[in-house]
Amino acid sequence: MKPTPKTFHVKSFGCQMNVYDGERMAELMGAQGMTATDDANAADLVILNTCHIREKATEKVYSDIGRLRKHGSDPMIAIAGCVAQAEGAEIIKRAKVDVVVGPQAYHNLADLVAKAARGEAALDTDMPLASKFGALPARRKVGPTAFLTVQEGCDKFCTYCVVPYTRGAEVSRPFAAIVDEAKALVDAGAREITLLGQNVNAWADEDGRGLDHLIRALDRVEGLNRIRYTTSHPNDMTQGLIDAHGDVESLMPFLHLPVQSGSDRVLKAMNRSHSTDSYLRVLDRVRAVRPDIALSGDFIVGFPGETEAEFADTLKLVDAVGYSQAFSFKYSPRPGTPAAEMDDQIAPGMMDERLQRLQASLNRDQAAFNAATVGRVCDVLIERRGKLPGQMLGKSPWLNSVHLVTDATIGDILSIEIVSAGPNSVAGAARVKVAA
C-alpha cells in the first residue's frame, strides 16, 4: 500500500495523440484535487504515457522506471498508453509498477490510482464500446494551440504497425461532441486546433459525411482562427477534403501525408494499399487547389527485403515532392506484426547508412523550403516566449517555426514578413497585429 497521491507528473512519449491523452489524464488528476509538478522525482504519482511504435520507445519506458526507482523517491508509477495495452500484466511483473491502463480506458485512471493506494490490483486494458471521452472532465485552460482527438484506431493493418492491436478498430467521435469540445477549447484560450486521429481523414459522422464537413463546421466557430489535422492516409484523401484546402481560409496550407516508401513492391509488402503514382496524383490534386501548400511525410527505411534500388526509389520520390519537413525512421520489428516474421531483415548498419542518406535529402529540402519563404508576408500565431530578451516564438501557416522580437503577447496573431531562414526555423519582422 502507498499513500493516496497529492502531486503528480505526466510524461508522454510518441505521437500527438499521446500528447492529447496526457493532457486529459492531467485534467483527470487535477479534478481529483492533485497538484501537477514538472519534477518527476518530486511527484507522488508518475504517469508514463507510452508509445509502442518502435522498440526503443518501449525500452525507454523501462529505463525511466529504473531511473525513478534508483532516485529513491518511490512514487506510485502508472503506465498508460500503447505499451500498457500491448504488454498489460507483464509490465507489472517485469517492472513492479502500480497501475497499468490502456489508451481506451484511461478515463478510469482515478479509480485505478485509488485501488493501487489500497494495495489492490490496478490493471485496465479493456476496449469498451462506450467512448471514454464522455467521462473526461471539461477543458478549462489551454494554450493558444490545442489538440483535439476526433478519430481513433486503424483498420489499415500495415504489416509493420501495432496500432490496430493497441488502439483498436477505426472509430469516429460524434460530430456534436467534437464541435462542443472545440468551442470549449476556444473558450479556454485556443486560437488554433489540430484535429487528431490515427487515420484522421477516415473520420465520418453519423450520416457518412467526411472530415471536410467537420472542418467547414469548425470554420464557423467564433474565435477559432486556425485549423490543422494529422495524421492522414493517402487512400482517405477525398475530393471534398482536397477542395476544403482551397475553400476554407482557416484550414492552414499544410498537409502531413505519410508515404513510407518510394518503392511499389515495398509498399505492397507493407500493405499500404497505395502506389507511388497514386500518392503523387493526390499531391497534385491538393496543389491544384492550394498551390502554396507545404507537404510533410513519414518514411521507414530498411523494411524487410528493401534493396538498394528500392531505397533509391524513395530518394527519387523525396526529390520529386520537395517536402517542407518529414519524419524518418529505421524499421523496427514489433512483436505480433507480420513484418517481424518476414525474411530478409535488413542489417542495422545498413539501415543506419540509409537513414543518414534519406535525412540528408529531407534536411536539404526543409532548408530550401524555409529559404523560399523569405520575403513572404504571413500571419504568425504567437505560442510562447523565446530564450532571448523580447523574443517570441510561433508558427507560420506552413508550420515553420518563426522567431521574432515583438511586444506582442502569447495568443496574438501578427502579420509578419519573413526576413531570414535557417535549416530549422525562420526569422520574422512584425508588421501589424491581426487578432488576439
Side-chain angles (χ1 to χ4, degrees):
M1 294 180 60
K2 292 184 177 180
T4 300
K6 295 182 179 179
T7 60
F8 71 92
H9 174 83
V10 180
K11 181 177 181 179
S12 291
F13 304 79
C15 67
Q16 294 99 325
M17 291 187 72
N18 263 21
V19 174
Y20 172 89
D21 288 345
E23 291 172 351
R24 302 313 312 269
M25 284 184 246
E27 291 165 353
L28 277 168
M29 297 300 95
Q32 298 298 310
M34 298 184 201
T35 302
T37 175
D38 292 332
D39 184 359
N41 294 318
D44 301 326
L45 167 67
V46 177
I47 302 166
L48 300 178
N49 186 29
T50 62
C51 173
H52 198 54
I53 292 294
R54 284 173 293 281
E55 183 178 10
K56 284 187 177 180
T58 303
E59 291 306 315
K60 185 169 176 53
V61 174
Y62 288 106
S63 295
D64 275 14
I65 294 170
R67 278 193 291 272
L68 287 167
R69 299 297 190 207
K70 187 176 181 180
H71 186 268
S73 56
D74 194 31
M76 181 182 292
I77 297 178
I79 305 299
C82 291
V83 172
Q85 187 68 39
E87 302 195 15
E90 182 62 28
I91 304 175
I92 296 176
K93 294 178 184 177
R94 176 177 170 181
K96 296 182 175 58
V97 299
D98 303 282
V99 175
V100 173
V101 60
Q104 305 304 338
Y106 68 75
H107 56 292
N108 297 323
L109 182 58
D111 290 340
L112 293 169
V113 168
K115 283 184 176 182
R118 296 193 299 266
E120 300 174 15
L123 168 67
D124 190 346
T125 54
D126 287 345
M127 291 188 178
L129 293 176
S131 171
K132 66 192 174 192
F133 294 99
L136 298 174
R139 312 301 298 267
R140 289 186 173 87
K141 184 178 181 181
V142 298
T145 66
F147 293 133
L148 199 172
T149 292
V150 303
Q151 180 272 343
E152 289 194 294
C154 182
D155 294 341
K156 300 297 190 286
F157 286 93
C158 297
T159 57
Y160 53 82
C161 187
V162 296
V163 167
Y165 312 104
T166 58
R167 289 275 184 172
E170 288 182 358
V171 177
S172 296
R173 289 183 65 190
F175 172 85
I178 295 169
V179 173
D180 286 347
E181 186 170 344
K183 290 177 179 177
L185 287 169
V186 171
D187 290 343
R191 302 277 74 85
E192 173 182 294
I193 289 177
T194 299
L195 308 178
L196 299 179
Q198 263 83 37
N199 285 314
V200 67
N201 55 342
W203 181 89
D205 70 2
E206 298 83 350
D207 297 320
R209 293 174 295 191
L211 188 64
D212 55 303
H213 168 69
L214 176 61
I215 288 171
R216 292 177 190 277
L218 294 178
D219 181 56
R220 296 190 289 272
V221 173
E222 186 176 354
L224 178 57
N225 302 96
R226 295 178 162 204
I227 301 169
R228 303 185 190 272
Y229 63 91
T230 195
T231 290
S232 302
H233 193 284
N235 284 16
D236 294 320
M237 286 298 298
T238 65
Q239 190 59 48
L241 181 55
I242 291 171
D243 289 342
H245 278 279
D247 300 339
V248 180
E249 185 176 354
S250 63
L251 181 58
M252 293 293 96
F254 180 88
L255 174 62
H256 180 68
L257 194 64
V259 62
Q260 305 300 1
S261 173
S263 162
D264 286 344
R265 189 207 65 80
V266 172
L267 289 173
K268 185 175 181 180
M270 289 177 167
N271 195 35
R272 284 293 291 172
S273 68
H274 63 83
S275 66
T276 54
D277 181 66
S278 67
Y279 177 82
L280 290 171
R281 282 189 279 113
V282 168
L283 299 187
D284 286 343
R285 287 159 56 201
V286 176
R287 281 173 163 151
V289 301
R290 190 68 199 250
D292 70 331
I293 197 158
L295 298 171
S296 173
D298 287 350
F299 294 89
I300 295 172
V301 303
F303 187 80
E306 181 189 64
T307 66
E308 180 61 28
E310 288 167 342
F311 173 68
D313 288 338
T314 296
L315 296 180
K316 290 176 185 176
L317 178 68
V318 168
D319 291 344
V321 173
Y323 292 96
S324 67
Q325 55 182 264
F327 302 95
S328 53
F329 310 97
K330 294 180 291 185
Y331 166 72
S332 178
R334 308 313 295 132
T337 60
E341 304 300 321
M342 290 181 179
D343 295 330
D344 299 323
Q345 299 284 326
I346 305 300
M350 184 175 291
M351 284 198 281
D352 288 338
E353 189 270 340
R354 287 179 182 173
L355 183 64
Q356 289 175 14
R357 288 159 58 194
L358 174 61
Q359 290 181 341
S361 293
L362 294 171
N363 291 340
R364 172 204 66 197
D365 289 349
Q366 178 174 310
F369 181 89
N370 287 349
T373 64
V374 174
R376 288 187 183 181
V377 174
C378 64
D379 291 348
V380 168
L381 173 61
I382 302 300
E383 298 179 14
R384 62 188 189 278
R385 298 185 184 281
K387 295 180 180 179
L388 303 177
Q391 187 184 62
M392 303 296 281
L393 305 178
K395 293 290 194 307
S396 78
W398 309 286
L399 209 65
N400 306 75
S401 292
V402 182
H403 55 89
L404 68 159
V405 175
T406 175
D407 59 1
T409 60
I410 293 172
D412 286 345
I413 297 178
L414 305 180
S415 174
I416 67 108
E417 179 181 357
I418 298 175
V419 295
S420 65
N424 301 311
S425 64
V426 299
R431 293 160 56 92
V432 65
K433 181 176 173 180
V434 175

